[in-house]
Amino acid sequence: MNKEMKELLNKINAKKAEIRAFVADGKIEDATSAKEELKKLQASFDILAEIEDEAAGQAQQQAKNGEAQIADGAKNGLAKQVRAFTNAIKAAWKKTELAPEDKEILNAMSEGSDEDGGLTVPKDIKTQIEELRRSEDALETLVNVEHVTTNSGSRVIEREADQTPFDNVEEAAEFPDVSTPQFDNVEYKVKKKGGILKVTQELLSDTAENIMGYLKKWIAKKAKATRNFLIIAKIKEICKGLEVPVTGLDSLKDIFNVMLDPAIALGSVVVTNQSGFNFLDKLKDEKGNYILQKDPTQATKRLLFGEYPVIKLSNKTLQNVNGKAPIICGDLKEAITLFDRETLTIDISNLAAGMWERDQTGIKVRERLDIQTVDADAVVMGLATVSTTGTDVNNDGVADDINGDGEYNEAELMKLSRENIIALAAEKGYEMTKTASDSKAEVIADFLAQQAAAKAK
């Protein structure tokens, strides 16, 4: 954003404050007049934003003029899509009519409307969001993903399909009935998932690229978190009551050598959290060698027994179970199928939940997913006992009282949620005045005050 645009933005914000003051004082005529001035300021800002967008696109082309002409054309097309899409968001925000050329671009990109309405995210932008969400800790890449075009249906899925070959068939002979493959009829019913991003009017006054960049990152993070949550919940559902105690190397060998079918073990991975990875990383064989080895194809990755890739998640994403670290072993592509409706829609409003008073706009994002078990025998969850010293309220395998002085400072409390802090206070007999509905800063301050009072007694 250049200097001229920043000055205009300051004037816009000042004018908004002036309008609010007029309304509060009952000066409706003055407020109406000021609103007309605000419209002119906003129109000037929009014109400059469009000019800057075009200049940015031209600069990008010049920087990469060595690429093929068709690639430049594709980039121009994407730039137009981004601009049309963000203009549609701005139009919804300001409740103005979308320009005909933007309507034409959006109609050309439309892949069908969602039953809940909203603005369908263009395919190219959606593809970029998908690439962002498939980060290193994305479990989506480990399961089978089925793209569907209806909200419900079924799929006939063969278990261990990649390990079961075709049989020999003589010329002119009937195809034999092979009993080895196992087929399951898996029904799905996609469910609506969504959330609201609250953004300031200043962001929506920014350039198309900045708005879309911010929105893409937020959607990607939420979509990844949603998929991780669904997959972890499904694994826990499959393994409930069947968890295997892991005490050392032999326990892990039992899982891969006996509990998992050899065909499943071939494509298996290990998914664990920070506590579980720490447990595995300290295990040694009879010669004193650590069992986790570097993956020769990826220096930052580790292999269990030199065979099975180890995926490490945050303790916040994959929590410990009653103080024990989960170590998930198996072929998740055989175990689980994620059904993705591949519809991503956006609605805009600044009227709900007090957003107008806070000068915010809500961007509601929706998508549709379902997750189903295909082969429950393809995954085993081990539970490893991890030692902690002191209280572990948030069950992450790390003592909350990090420095071990018997008290809690602000930094130690920051690693806990508000609910965790209140639970810790109850354990210590503190009479808190703040609740989980108060801000975290207030809850921490209350805890520290209660702790000081208890110490002074």
Side-chain angles (χ1 to χ4, degrees):
M1 188 184 300
N2 59 37
K3 182 179 179 181
E4 189 176 3
M5 291 178 66
K6 288 180 179 178
E7 290 176 353
L8 264 176
L9 188 58
N10 290 335
K11 290 180 180 179
I12 289 172
N13 291 330
K15 187 60 66 175
K16 287 178 180 178
E18 184 181 14
I19 293 171
R20 291 193 188 94
F22 282 143
V23 171
D25 293 339
K27 299 178 180 179
I28 304 304
E29 292 183 2
D30 290 338
T32 302
S33 177
K35 185 179 178 182
E36 293 302 317
E37 296 175 20
L38 176 61
K39 287 181 179 179
K40 293 179 181 179
L41 289 171
Q42 187 66 61
S44 300
F45 184 93
D46 290 344
I47 292 172
L48 290 178
E50 288 177 9
I51 294 174
E52 188 167 277
D53 287 347
E54 292 171 1
Q58 293 173 359
Q60 189 176 31
Q61 290 176 17
Q62 292 171 359
K64 298 187 177 181
N65 56 14
E67 296 182 7
Q69 189 171 0
I70 187 170
D72 287 338
K75 287 174 188 173
N76 286 337
L78 181 57
K80 289 180 179 178
Q81 290 178 7
V82 170
R83 188 155 53 248
F85 190 68
T86 49
N87 283 346
I89 293 175
K90 289 181 178 181
W93 161 46
K94 293 186 285 187
K95 294 181 173 54
T96 57
E97 189 70 21
L98 188 62
E101 58 269 24
D102 289 332
K103 282 185 181 179
E104 185 177 346
I105 292 172
L106 290 176
N107 289 337
M109 294 185 298
S110 176
E111 298 178 338
S113 60
D114 185 78
E115 48 265 52
D116 292 314
L119 189 62
T120 302
V121 176
K123 182 178 179 181
D124 287 337
I125 297 174
K126 189 169 65 178
T127 299
Q128 292 177 350
I129 292 172
E130 290 172 358
E131 291 172 353
L132 284 172
R133 79 167 186 249
R134 289 170 182 160
S135 57
E136 203 168 281
D137 60 344
L139 296 180
E140 176 187 8
T141 60
L142 302 179
V143 302
N144 179 48
V145 179
E146 180 83 18
H147 300 297
V148 296
T149 56
T150 57
N151 284 342
S152 62
S154 63
R155 291 288 186 273
V156 176
I157 299 177
E158 180 186 351
R159 295 190 190 183
E160 303 167 23
D162 55 347
Q163 280 91 32
T164 306
F166 283 129
D167 202 350
N168 294 325
V169 181
E170 299 295 334
E171 291 297 329
E174 292 185 1
F175 278 72
D177 290 328
V178 182
S179 58
T180 303
Q182 299 180 52
F183 296 93
D184 290 320
N185 184 52
V186 179
E187 296 183 354
Y188 69 87
K189 187 175 182 180
V190 296
K191 302 170 185 66
K192 182 166 56 179
K193 309 290 182 182
I196 296 177
L197 171 64
K198 297 178 181 180
V199 298
T200 62
Q201 310 294 31
E202 287 80 6
L203 175 64
L204 291 177
S205 299
D206 210 333
T207 63
E209 283 77 9
N210 287 350
I211 294 172
M212 187 50 60
Y214 186 88
L215 189 57
K216 283 189 296 187
K217 288 179 181 177
W218 182 81
I219 294 175
K221 287 180 180 179
K222 299 298 286 187
K224 181 185 72 173
T226 299
R227 285 162 173 76
N228 280 356
F229 176 83
L230 290 173
I231 293 167
I232 290 171
K234 182 57 67 174
I235 292 171
K236 289 181 177 179
E237 177 187 308
I238 293 171
C239 299
K240 187 175 182 180
L242 302 172
E243 296 88 350
V244 178
V246 174
T247 56
L249 288 179
D250 289 346
S251 304
L252 293 168
K253 288 180 178 179
D254 286 342
I255 292 175
F256 289 99
N257 293 344
V258 181
M259 297 179 187
L260 292 174
D261 187 280
I264 294 295
L266 284 174
S268 288
V269 298
V270 177
V271 179
T272 187
N273 60 9
Q274 293 164 278
S275 300
F277 185 86
N278 189 47
F279 172 85
L280 295 174
D281 202 30
K282 292 178 179 180
L283 289 179
K284 298 179 182 179
D285 60 21
E286 63 277 4
K287 296 181 180 179
N289 298 318
Y290 288 107
I291 64 166
L292 288 192
Q293 302 170 19
K294 286 186 177 181
D295 185 340
T297 63
Q298 302 177 79
T300 59
K301 300 291 185 181
R302 293 292 182 270
L303 299 174
L304 178 61
F305 302 129
E307 296 182 61
Y308 309 112
V310 179
I311 291 87
K312 179 174 67 171
L313 303 178
S314 164
N315 279 343
K316 294 177 182 178
T317 300
L318 179 57
Q319 297 181 353
N320 285 348
V321 180
N322 298 324
K324 296 182 179 181
I327 300 177
I328 301 163
C329 309
D331 188 340
L332 297 183
K333 287 188 182 295
E334 293 289 342
I336 294 169
T337 291
L338 180 71
F339 295 94
D340 190 345
R341 181 71 169 79
E342 289 198 298
T343 56
L344 189 60
T345 59
I346 288 177
D347 279 338
I348 314 295
S349 175
N350 62 357
L351 300 178
M355 291 183 189
W356 188 86
E357 290 85 349
R358 297 184 180 91
D359 217 14
Q360 293 178 331
T361 295
I363 299 181
K364 183 189 294 181
V365 180
R366 289 186 296 262
E367 61 176 347
R368 296 179 182 275
L369 303 165
D370 190 23
I371 188 166
Q372 294 295 334
T373 303
V374 176
D375 185 358
D377 295 331
V379 61
V380 173
M381 180 186 286
L383 293 178
T385 300
V386 289
S387 60
T388 61
T389 302
T391 307
D392 183 18
V393 174
N394 62 355
N395 199 28
D396 66 353
V398 178
D400 304 320
D401 182 12
I402 299 171
N403 59 22
D405 63 356
E407 296 181 4
Y408 291 81
N409 57 40
E410 185 174 356
E412 290 169 335
L413 293 172
M414 280 299 295
K415 74 186 282 284
L416 305 177
S417 68
R418 285 173 290 183
E419 291 78 8
N420 289 154
I421 298 170
I422 290 169
L424 180 60
E427 181 182 309
K428 289 181 169 292
Y430 297 162
E431 295 183 1
M432 297 280 285
T433 61
K434 301 298 181 182
T435 68
S437 61
D438 294 307
S439 70
K440 188 171 183 178
E442 290 175 319
V443 173
I444 289 175
D446 188 11
F447 183 97
L448 293 174
Q450 299 294 338
Q451 179 176 256
K455 186 179 179 181
K457 288 181 180 179

